[in-house]
Amino acid sequence: MKFLLVPLFLALSCSSAPGEKPPVKAAPLPAGFGAYWFQGKAELSSYTLEQARYGEIHQGEAVLIFVTEDFSRSKQVKLDDPTTNPDDRLPVLKLNFEKKFLTGIYPYSLLTSTFTPLDQSPTVKVSTSVQEWCGHIFTQLNLRRKQYHVSLKSYFESEGDRETDLPITTLEDELWNRIRLNPAGLPVGAVQLVPGTTYTRLQHQPLQAEAATATLAAAPGTPRFGTTSPLQAYTLKYQSGRRLVIYFEQAFPHRILGWDETYLDRAGSKTPRELTTRATRHRTLQLDYWRTHHHEHLGWRDSLGLRK
């Protein structure tokens, strides 16, 4: 995995189309951003997970993997060699958001990858896959000039294979990256948001913008997160009744300590129940994990407290 140092003045630019209001405001990258994020390492955090599904709470684990990398503007994939075409290079913060949990006999494995430019212009790509023993589902959003192109692949007859477009709107999936870039740029007040792709797939909801209220406030200290450092809570309350709260450190690098997601769980039930998915950070480390793929490196999973 290759990295090029990116100057902090990129945060002052915005690449929205002329005449368009950007979905989120740009905020200067924090002091120390480069020293933390341009080391050639990723930040890996493990979480204990209590996942709502089928009217019950299931135990599992989650991992958030944040890393800066050079992306292709034209192809919207990671560049193999950014020096061959510098004009095509787009520095991004990538989040790989993984969840694993069991429902009875069979496992769920979910992964969402989100690519957000360091200049805080609209996120260029989100892809989500959900695998379980019934089959698998894939959703991808690609930013075009004035819209997101959405591709949905599903084994459910009611969803099937679809290609559609969405207006450029703030994506819930990108807000995790924007917390890390600078939480001062998070949208607050009455907003339009596209709910997270994992939520919409698990609940078989259409992928479309919804009205919500967003707030950013100090979070009360709690033994749950095992820290006395000042915390902040970013809360999304959707008109539909769903509520998402992301807890993170007030100080840079704004590490995410956990989240609560409350909604009416409709999956596999004639009488939906309101349940809360909850995740709490276990451990965090910085590591060039793409080089740790031999048997001798299994110990790194112990360092994160992950199952082998």
Side-chain angles (χ1 to χ4, degrees), residues 247-261:
Y247 301 95
F248 61 94
E249 295 174 336
Q250 179 176 307
F252 179 81
H254 310 300
R255 286 176 292 225
I256 292 173
L257 300 182
W259 61 91
D260 298 333
E261 182 184 9

Side-chain angles (χ1 to χ4, degrees), residues 107-138:
Y108 269 78
S109 179
L110 299 80
L111 180 68
T112 297
S113 297
T114 304
F115 304 83
T116 304
L118 297 190
D119 67 6
Q120 299 174 68
S121 54
T123 287
V124 293
K125 183 178 180 180
V126 176
S127 61
T128 288
S129 57
V130 179
Q131 301 89 36
E132 38 98 358
W133 282 7
C134 293
H136 60 97
I137 297 171
F138 178 79

Side-chain angles (χ1 to χ4, degrees), residues 51-57 261-265 273-277:
Q51 177 67 46
R53 189 73 174 147
Y54 302 126
E56 298 176 329
I57 298 297
E261 182 184 9
T262 303
Y263 55 85
L264 204 61
D265 182 27
R273 297 176 57 197
E274 185 175 84
L275 296 173
T276 297
T277 291

Side-chain angles (χ1 to χ4, degrees), residues 74-269:
S74 59
K75 299 176 182 177
Q76 295 191 348
V77 293
K78 180 184 176 296
L79 285 172
D80 292 330
D81 184 359
T83 63
T84 60
N85 187 2
D87 291 339
D88 193 40
R89 172 178 166 265
L90 177 65
V92 301
L93 180 64
K94 177 179 73 174
L95 167 60
N96 281 340
F97 188 159
E98 181 190 53
K99 287 183 178 182
K100 290 182 180 291
F101 58 94
L102 293 173
T103 56
I105 191 175
Y106 64 93
Y108 269 78
S109 179
L110 299 80
L111 180 68
T112 297
S113 297
T114 304
F115 304 83
T116 304
L118 297 190
D119 67 6
Q120 299 174 68
S121 54
T123 287
V124 293
K125 183 178 180 180
V126 176
S127 61
T128 288
S129 57
V130 179
Q131 301 89 36
E132 38 98 358
W133 282 7
C134 293
H136 60 97
I137 297 171
F138 178 79
T139 302
Q140 182 162 299
L141 291 83
N142 290 90
L143 179 67
R144 306 310 182 201
R145 180 169 174 77
K146 294 186 178 181
Q147 60 192 6
Y148 282 107
H149 180 72
V150 182
S151 178
L152 170 65
K153 310 296 182 183
S154 173
Y155 64 89
F156 287 108
E157 181 184 6
S158 60
E159 295 173 342
D161 294 350
R162 298 183 183 180
E163 305 288 328
T164 186
D165 296 305
L166 284 174
I168 297 177
T169 309
T170 302
L171 309 174
E172 180 185 304
D173 287 327
E174 72 181 298
L175 297 174
W176 306 77
N177 278 346
R178 297 194 182 281
I179 287 172
R180 307 309 307 275
L181 291 171
N182 192 337
L186 291 167
V188 294
V191 294
Q192 290 286 317
L193 296 173
V194 177
T197 47
T198 292
Y199 165 76
T200 56
R201 291 304 87 219
L202 288 180
Q203 295 298 304
H204 305 292
Q205 299 294 310
L207 196 64
Q208 59 190 22
E210 294 185 20
T213 301
T215 58
L216 178 62
T222 169
R224 171 183 169 187
F225 299 120
T227 178
T228 57
S229 300
L231 309 182
Q232 287 190 293
Y234 186 56
T235 302
L236 303 176
K237 294 182 179 179
Y238 285 90
Q239 202 169 59
S240 63
R242 177 170 168 258
R243 183 172 181 263
L244 173 66
V245 186
I246 305 172
Y247 301 95
F248 61 94
E249 295 174 336
Q250 179 176 307
F252 179 81
H254 310 300
R255 286 176 292 225
I256 292 173
L257 300 182
W259 61 91
D260 298 333
E261 182 184 9
T262 303
Y263 55 85
L264 204 61
D265 182 27
R266 298 179 175 85
S269 175

